[in-house]
Amino acid sequence: MAEKIIVIGAGPGGLAAAMLLASKGYKVDIYEKQSFVGGRNGSVTMDGYTFDIGPTFLSMPEIAEELFEASGRNLHDYVDLRELSMMYELIFKDKKVKMYKDPEALSEEIERHYPGNSEGYTRFMNDTRKKMERLKPILQSPMDRYYQYISWKVLRALPQLSLGKSLYSVLSDYFTEHELRLAFTFQSKYLGMSPWECPGAFSILSFMEHEYGIFHPIGGLNQLSKAMARVVKEHGGSIHLGSGVKKLWIENGNDVKGIITENGERVAADEVIINGDFAHVMTNLVEEGVLKKYSKEKLKKKKYSCSTFMIYLGIDKQYNLPHHSIVFAEDYRRNVEEITKTFTLSEDPSIYIQNASVTDPTLAPPGHSTLYILAPVPNNVSGIDWTENEQTFRDLVLDAVESKTGLENIRDHIKVEKVISPHHWETDFNIYEGATFNLGHQLTQMMALRPHNKFEELEHCWLVGGGTHPGSGLPTILESARITTNMLMNEDPSHSFTKEQTMEEAL
C-alpha cells in the first residue's frame, strides 16, 4: 500500500496531483525550491503591483472544476472567474481585429475585415468540434504503450488527427486570408512551436478558446495555484516552500525510495511524483548512468520549445488597451523561423500584451495598472548571450509596443519593472535550456513517444506537467495530474474506485 507520497515541485500539475491524492487519504508532502507556490503559474508582487509569472488566462475551466469536485471542493468557492466577452485583439500592420467569444459578433468582425470568410469560421468550429470529441479520450487517458495506438479510441480519432498536415495547412482549408489563418494558428506558440511545423491536430487549441471561452481569475491566474495549495492543506497535505530537492534517492539501480533535499536530508516515500521540468530533473536529480532512454546525451538531442522574453511593468496610469492583445510581426513567418530555426533575435518580434487592470482593479494601486509583455524568442540552444542583449531587446520590444499599439511614453510611467529572459528561466526556474514550454510537441515526441506518466525508467516514480502526456498548456497539465493520480491509485489495492476512475474505463 502506498501511504506516503512526495511531490517534487508546486507547479499546477504537482498541486493538482497532491490535491487529488490528499483528498483520498494519502499523506502528501510537496517540496518546492521557490518561496511561493505555482512555479510558472505563480505570481510576483512589487510595491502593490501583482503579475502572473507565466500563464495569464484559464481556458476549459471545467477541467479545474472537475478536479476540485473530485477533491470534495467547489472551484468557485476559491476562485472568482470572469469570462472575457472580447477574448483578445489581434494587431496587424494596418488593422486591429477583435476576437469575440460570441459567434455572431465574431462572424460580423470577420466579414468586416475579411469579406466572405465568416462561413469558413463556422465550418472550422463545426469540424473541430468533432475532432475535439474524438481526441478528448486520448488527452484524458494514459498513452504509454504502443499497442494503445491500435485501440478503438485512437483508431476512431485517426481521421481527425490531420496526419501529414501542419496547423497552418489545416486552417488554409477554412480561410482565404493569411492574417485570418494566423488568427487561428498563433496558439501554437502556447506549445512553443511554429504553425507551419505544429501538427494539424492542434487546431483544437484555438477551438478550445472559441468554444469554451477565456476566463480571468480576479487576482490573476496564480489564484488557481494558490487555491489548489489551500485544498492540499485542508486535506492534511504539507507544502515545504524554500525546500529544493538535490537528488532522487535511488537504490538497487532504479528503485526510487524518496528524495535527498538540498540540505542533505533523506526523506522516504512510497511513491514520488515529479512536477519539475522534465529534462532539468533527469539531468540534475538523477545520477549519471542510471537512465538510458533519457540519459543526458539523449536529452540533448531532443527537440525543445522556444523560450520567452518577459517584461512586467507597474504603470502609474491606465491605458485604453484590451485585456489581451497580440501584436504580429509584419513578416510573421520570418519571425517564427528566427525563433525556431535560425535562432536569432528578431528586429520585428511578435508580442503578447496583457493589460489585466481593465478587468481586475486588485492588481495595481488605484488609477495605476500592470502591463505584462511577452515576446517569444529562441531557447538557450541558440547560444544568445542575454547578459549582452537583454537591455537592447527590452528597448526594442517597448518601442514596438508603443509604435504598434498607440501606447505613448510607456517609459515615463514605469514605477516598477522586472525582466525574465531565457537565461533567467534556466537559472532561476530550473527550465532546461530556458525552453519555457518544455519538450517540443512534434509527433515524434507525443503520446507514447513522450515520457510516460508512470515514468518508464524508474520504479515508484511518476510524472506530471508539460513534459509528460498529454503535453504543455495549463488544461493539459491539469489532465496529466488526473491521468497520473488515477494510474497510481489504480495500482494501489488499498483504494477502491468508481467506474469513472478505473483504468479500464480510461482505456
Side-chain angles (χ1 to χ4, degrees):
M1 172 182 174
E3 295 183 349
K4 181 174 180 180
I5 296 174
I6 285 177
V7 178
I8 300 176
L15 290 166
M19 179 175 74
L20 291 165
L21 292 168
S23 72
K24 299 300 184 288
Y26 290 93
K27 185 181 186 308
V28 180
D29 286 82
I30 303 176
Y31 286 81
E32 168 57 52
K33 178 179 180 178
Q34 305 288 356
S35 61
F36 55 87
V37 299
R40 277 163 273 186
N41 189 214
S43 63
V44 58
T45 300
M46 299 180 287
D47 296 340
Y49 299 90
T50 300
F51 305 87
D52 284 321
I53 294 173
T56 56
F57 66 84
L58 183 63
S59 181
M60 296 190 75
E62 62 265 32
I63 297 175
E65 290 171 341
E66 291 165 3
L67 295 184
F68 273 75
E69 183 179 353
S71 304
R73 297 293 188 270
N74 185 332
L75 169 68
H76 301 281
D77 290 339
Y78 296 81
V79 180
D80 182 4
L81 290 180
R82 305 291 175 87
E83 185 172 7
L84 304 181
S85 58
M86 201 269 279
M87 298 188 295
Y88 37 77
E89 184 173 67
L90 307 180
I91 302 174
F92 298 103
K93 181 180 180 180
D94 58 355
K95 65 174 69 71
K96 295 181 179 180
V97 182
K98 293 177 169 59
M99 303 298 281
Y100 295 101
K101 167 65 164 60
D102 178 66
E104 185 176 338
L106 180 55
S107 293
E108 291 177 0
E109 183 76 353
I110 289 174
E111 284 300 313
R112 186 163 73 88
H113 294 289
Y114 311 103
N117 276 268
S118 62
E119 177 271 338
Y121 158 68
T122 302
R123 280 194 299 114
F124 168 76
M125 292 299 291
N126 290 337
D127 290 351
T128 315
R129 190 173 292 112
K130 297 174 186 175
K131 176 183 288 189
M132 189 72 182
E133 289 172 1
R134 298 289 178 89
L135 291 179
K136 257 189 176 181
I138 296 175
L139 299 175
Q140 293 178 332
S141 57
M143 288 295 296
D144 54 5
R145 298 290 186 271
Y146 291 113
Y147 69 76
Q148 291 167 336
Y149 284 142
I150 58 172
S151 66
W152 171 239
K153 69 175 182 289
V154 174
L155 294 176
R156 188 168 176 264
L158 276 177
Q160 305 293 339
L161 289 176
S162 305
L163 295 175
K165 297 185 73 172
S166 71
L167 178 57
Y168 186 86
S169 176
V170 168
L171 270 295
S172 299
D173 294 338
Y174 299 99
F175 302 119
T176 62
E177 299 293 330
H178 172 66
E179 289 179 348
L180 200 49
R181 294 168 186 168
L182 295 184
F184 286 82
T185 62
F186 77 85
Q187 292 84 358
S188 62
K189 289 286 186 65
Y190 303 164
L191 306 176
M193 293 187 70
S194 159
W196 288 276
E197 295 182 347
C198 186
F202 286 107
S203 59
I204 62 172
L205 293 176
S206 57
F207 168 81
M208 286 161 53
E209 295 177 353
H210 289 269
E211 181 81 350
Y212 303 109
I214 283 178
F215 294 80
H216 173 79
I218 296 300
L221 190 54
N222 62 84
Q223 294 299 312
L224 176 62
S225 292
K226 293 173 182 174
M228 290 191 290
R230 284 177 57 192
V231 176
V232 170
K233 293 177 181 178
E234 289 170 6
H235 284 300
S238 299
I239 303 175
H240 308 272
L241 298 177
S243 300
V245 176
K246 182 179 181 180
K247 293 287 182 183
L248 290 178
W249 174 6
I250 300 174
E251 294 184 358
N252 303 320
N254 68 343
D255 190 2
V256 177
K257 296 293 187 180
I259 61 170
I260 303 172
T261 65
E262 289 183 342
N263 61 16
E265 179 186 4
R266 289 178 181 258
V267 186
D270 298 300
E271 308 286 345
V272 173
I273 298 175
I274 295 174
N275 184 216
D277 179 86
F278 174 75
H280 171 84
V281 167
M282 298 308 160
T283 300
N284 292 279
L285 271 62
V286 182
E287 296 289 353
E288 277 199 73
V290 173
L291 303 179
K292 303 296 186 290
K293 183 177 179 180
Y294 293 107
S295 65
K296 286 184 179 181
E297 293 73 21
K298 290 183 178 178
L299 283 171
K300 287 180 181 178
K301 297 176 182 178
K302 295 289 182 182
K303 296 179 180 179
Y304 294 89
S305 76
C306 71
S307 189
T308 54
F309 185 90
M310 320 290 298
I311 307 173
Y312 310 87
L313 302 177
I315 303 292
D316 67 3
K317 63 174 291 186
Q318 295 184 341
Y319 285 108
N320 183 26
L321 191 72
H323 190 114
H324 299 294
S325 300
I326 295 96
V327 179
F328 286 86
E330 290 189 23
D331 188 340
Y332 185 73
R333 183 161 189 167
R334 176 183 176 183
N335 175 227
V336 168
E337 289 179 350
E338 289 168 333
I339 296 167
T340 62
K341 288 187 175 181
T342 62
F343 299 114
T344 54
L345 281 181
S346 178
E347 294 182 0
D348 181 23
S350 296
I351 302 166
Y352 161 74
I353 307 163
Q354 184 203 41
N355 183 33
S357 296
V358 298
T359 302
D360 186 351
T362 71
L363 300 175
H368 293 215
S369 61
T370 57
L371 286 181
Y372 167 116
I373 301 171
L374 178 157
V377 293
N379 62 40
N380 291 332
V381 173
S382 65
I384 293 171
D385 186 342
W386 283 103
T387 58
E388 290 187 4
N389 288 280
E390 180 177 306
Q391 187 63 37
T392 302
F393 193 71
R394 175 258 190 196
D395 291 339
L396 183 148
V397 169
L398 291 184
D399 288 343
V401 170
E402 288 183 341
S403 64
K404 295 184 178 184
T405 66
L407 302 188
E408 298 179 351
N409 305 318
I410 292 175
R411 293 170 180 81
D412 295 340
H413 299 280
I414 296 174
K415 305 302 291 184
V416 298
E417 177 177 356
K418 181 178 180 65
V419 169
I420 296 180
S421 73
H423 169 74
H424 299 127
W425 282 127
E426 182 169 356
T427 58
D428 298 346
F429 288 85
N430 293 335
I431 296 173
Y432 189 83
E433 297 291 3
T436 320
F437 307 99
N438 224 298
L439 286 163
H441 290 73
Q442 293 83 0
L443 290 176
T444 55
Q445 295 184 165
M446 289 297 295
M447 297 193 291
L449 300 175
R450 206 165 183 81
H452 300 168
N453 299 78
K454 182 181 180 182
F455 187 49
E456 57 265 47
E457 291 213 70
L458 298 172
E459 295 293 326
H460 304 293
C461 184
W462 307 78
L463 304 179
V464 294
T468 188
H469 175 70
S472 292
L474 189 56
T476 42
I477 284 172
L478 295 179
E479 284 290 6
S480 79
R482 177 154 52 182
I483 292 169
T484 296
T485 53
N486 279 347
M487 291 178 71
L488 189 156
M489 290 187 292
N490 194 66
E491 292 191 3
D492 187 348
S494 67
H495 277 72
S496 60
F497 303 93
T498 64
K499 180 182 178 185
E500 288 76 19
Q501 289 175 314
T502 63
M503 186 62 62
E504 289 77 14
E505 179 71 11
L507 293 173

